[in-house]
Amino acid sequence: MATTVTPNVTPEAAPVKVAPISLTPNAVAKVKEIMAQQNPVPSGLRVGVVGGGCSGFSYSMAFENGAGMMDKTFDMDGLKVYVDATSVMYLNGCRVDYVETLEGAGFKFENPNVKSTCGCGSSFSV
């Protein structure tokens, strides 16, 4: 009598989507705080790059009620972040923090792809 042995085959895990951009815990907390004050409460945050400014590009952040057809969606500690396909290449490796200083408070973008910024710091070139 022959015995058949079936090897243990485990299904492969779905590939993890690596976000091109990361938000610090401070940034996520601030976005969630601001979102909670909106009526109706948006479903997520859109982060992108738009043409304009002294150096050619500027960052954009806006609340959204859903992902667009060409958007990549990332979950960051329960916050949905939408990034359009064009902005992905400009934001690859970018880190967004929320900082509060004596001069003011706001979101700070640290982007390794930036070659230069304008004097006022609101736009950049790659």
Side-chain angles (χ1 to χ4, degrees):
M1 182 191 274
T3 306
T4 305
V5 177
T6 306
N8 273 343
V9 178
T10 56
E12 289 186 32
V16 176
K17 249 197 277 187
V18 177
I21 187 169
S22 64
L23 275 70
T24 65
N26 277 350
V28 170
K30 190 62 176 181
V31 169
K32 286 180 178 180
E33 176 187 322
I34 297 169
M35 280 177 61
Q37 298 170 0
Q38 306 298 307
N39 189 10
V41 175
S43 67
L45 175 72
R46 173 175 303 285
V47 179
V49 172
V50 294
C54 314
S55 294
F57 296 103
S58 296
Y59 298 109
S60 68
M61 295 176 73
F63 295 125
E64 290 285 339
N65 289 322
M69 192 165 51
M70 299 298 290
D71 288 345
K72 306 288 184 199
T73 303
F74 306 97
D75 184 275
M76 298 187 187
D77 197 23
L79 172 66
K80 286 184 183 170
V81 177
Y82 309 117
V83 181
D84 65 89
T86 303
S87 294
V88 167
M89 64 184 183
Y90 295 111
L91 294 173
N92 196 22
C94 187
R95 181 176 174 264
V96 181
D97 193 10
Y98 181 77
V99 293
E100 292 180 1
T101 65
L102 292 175
E103 293 86 31
F107 292 95
K108 179 181 174 187
F109 285 76
E110 296 173 12
N111 191 339
N113 304 305
V114 170
K115 301 290 185 246
S116 65
T117 59
C118 65
C120 63
S122 64
S123 67
F124 66 95
S125 66
V126 290

